[in-house]
Amino acid sequence: MAATKTILNILRPTGIRKTAIIVWVLRVIIGAVFIFSGWVKAVDIWGGTYKIGEYLGAWHIALPDSVIALLAGALAMAEFMAGVMILLGCFRRMAIRLTAIFMAVMTALTLYIWIADPVKDCGCFGDAIILSNAATFWKNIVIDAMLVVLWINNHRAGALVHTRLQWLAVIATAAFTGYIEYIGYRIQPVQDFRGFAPGTMLAHNDNDDNVRLVYAKDGIEQSFTADSLPDEENGWTYVRRATDSNKDNTSLAFISPDGEDITAEVISSEGVQVILLIHDPRHYGRTRSAMANELYEALTAHGGDMFAVVGADDSTAAAWANEARAHYPVYTADETDIKMLARGNGALVCLRDGHIIWKQNTLTLPHNLGVSVMQDGLAVLDDPTYIEALRTAASARHAAEIYILVLAILMSMTAPPAIRNRLNAKTKSAKTQCCPKRFGQK
């Protein structure tokens, strides 16, 4: 018996230690997945809004864009916060249980998406990683299995933040995520996963080896080379131009009122250009249209250029241009291409020598931007005082530094479990010696 007891005493700590190691490994894996998933959604609230809109459209549910944006923001914040809490070991029972319930719902949803195929991808990782519906379902099954292990054993490992300080970690995480979401919604995402980040060259010359022309027939799209175009008399309709070098093999295609693809002609490889992108002209206000006219006049006066691209058919685009009294040329493009290039219904993309310099939602641009450009020249477009998009990267970086510093302080204020247990034991012993009757001793 003594030998058996000795063996058990030796094995028990080792078993506990192994269990704790497994718990921490699972915390790191699941926490990293949720942090990444929440981050790619938080930086691109417009992308989440578009994706949720696709789901609702497939289910024939109509909601205002503002409500959908709130849902997208809440989802991103919940995922990011769940990842941080799991990684830090905060709220060990509640965090795991809520995350497991959330994943149970998402697993059922992804199973439905895999079977019914209402959308082409679930959008779990935004535009950063595109998974098939089947891969998404099995990914969720693996996460579910890991969550089950944590549900049973999560209490066997400690937390990096003391129980009394964990609410501060929640507040800091919510504040940081909310700020990143604000930048992404009001200005532009601080990180672009769509292939059109600042510095990207738009005015590129495609060679015959990587150019594809996409045609559609009976709702099915197919790409062709310039030497093997299908006969339009057989029902084929031109859709867009595509290249092998661009993300998703899809390049921009700006269409003139005559139906010609004039992308290579209107995007100049020299000078300053501004493109006004509007994916839904029905909800673009007249006030911003007047501001666009002022900016166009100022740009052309200083040797710049500007044109608009609208996500509509020719007749709708012409009607909008007439109503907005647009002084600048107006072209059309696929709504999806416009959303990929810049976020927001009404965004400016500034180019210099064919390269993207900045992108910004017109809602946050100064109303007197055109006047300022007229007075001070094109240098205004490089001034962070006027162009908030030029300083969002630094602002987001400072916010991230502050957030990480707060978490580091909270963790530094948390004593290691062994030291904390010894301190608690000494405190209890001292109280017992001071007041033995109060602590049940005679």
Side-chain angles (χ1 to χ4, degrees), residues 229-258:
L229 297 180
D231 191 349
E232 295 187 2
E233 294 182 357
N234 293 331
W236 290 97
T237 304
Y238 173 76
V239 179
R240 63 180 179 274
R241 183 184 59 180
T243 64
D244 294 336
S245 59
N246 195 273
K247 189 174 185 179
D248 291 335
N249 294 333
T250 302
S251 64
L252 297 173
F254 299 154
I255 309 301
S256 70
D258 298 329

Side-chain angles (χ1 to χ4, degrees), residues 7-228:
I7 294 174
L8 290 175
N9 288 335
I10 294 174
L11 293 178
R12 188 176 294 116
T14 305
I16 294 174
R17 191 178 299 111
K18 286 183 178 179
T19 303
I21 292 174
I22 294 174
V23 167
W24 274 112
V25 169
L26 293 180
R27 283 181 182 178
V28 170
I29 294 174
I30 297 177
V33 170
F34 273 87
I35 289 174
F36 178 73
S37 178
W39 171 258
V40 298
K41 292 182 177 71
V43 298
D44 189 10
I45 293 300
W46 280 102
T49 302
Y50 300 148
K51 179 55 63 176
I52 294 177
E54 287 185 32
Y55 282 107
L56 297 179
W59 299 331
H60 306 289
I61 300 175
L63 288 177
D65 288 343
S66 57
V67 175
I68 299 177
L70 289 175
L71 293 175
L75 177 62
M77 183 176 293
E79 290 191 9
F80 189 84
M81 187 174 296
V84 172
M85 294 302 107
I86 291 174
L87 185 62
L88 297 179
C90 297
F91 304 102
R92 288 179 293 180
R93 287 184 173 84
M94 183 174 66
I96 293 300
R97 290 174 181 176
L98 291 178
T99 305
I101 294 172
F102 170 78
M103 282 304 303
V105 175
M106 295 305 298
T107 302
L109 178 61
T110 52
L111 177 60
Y112 158 76
I113 294 172
W114 183 18
I115 297 173
D117 197 27
V119 295
K120 62 180 181 179
D121 69 89
C122 74
C124 298
F125 298 116
D127 290 308
I129 300 176
I130 306 298
L131 297 177
S132 66
N133 292 336
T136 300
F137 172 74
W138 291 114
K139 178 261 299 180
N140 288 347
I141 290 295
V142 173
I143 294 176
D144 291 339
M146 290 189 289
L147 283 171
V148 169
V149 176
L150 279 184
W151 186 306
I152 299 172
N153 298 288
N154 199 36
H155 65 283
R156 297 181 181 273
L160 297 180
V161 178
H162 193 277
T163 305
R164 296 178 180 178
L165 302 176
Q166 291 176 2
W167 64 274
L168 292 175
V170 172
I171 293 176
T173 302
F176 171 68
T177 312
Y179 180 66
I180 296 299
E181 291 179 351
Y182 171 82
I183 294 177
Y185 186 77
R186 296 284 294 177
I187 304 170
Q188 284 295 304
V190 296
Q191 190 172 5
D192 194 323
F193 297 102
R194 305 180 306 279
F196 295 108
T200 302
M201 182 71 168
L202 286 188
H204 60 278
N205 295 320
D206 297 324
N207 56 54
D208 294 336
D209 295 332
N210 66 353
V211 173
R212 299 289 185 271
L213 300 178
V214 180
Y215 282 75
K217 180 179 179 181
D218 298 330
I220 300 176
E221 294 186 357
Q222 185 175 343
S223 61
F224 300 87
T225 63
D227 298 330
S228 60

Side-chain angles (χ1 to χ4, degrees), residues 200-205 264 267-270 351 353-355:
T200 302
M201 182 71 168
L202 286 188
H204 60 278
N205 295 320
I267 298 181
S268 175
S269 59
E270 298 179 355
L351 308 177
D353 299 333
H355 291 84

Side-chain angles (χ1 to χ4, degrees), residues 340-363:
M340 292 292 286
L341 179 54
R343 297 308 202 192
N345 189 32
L348 289 186
V349 179
C350 182
L351 308 177
R352 177 175 286 107
D353 299 333
H355 291 84
I356 298 176
I357 304 302
W358 52 262
K359 302 184 289 185
Q360 184 165 334
N361 196 319
T362 56
L363 287 172

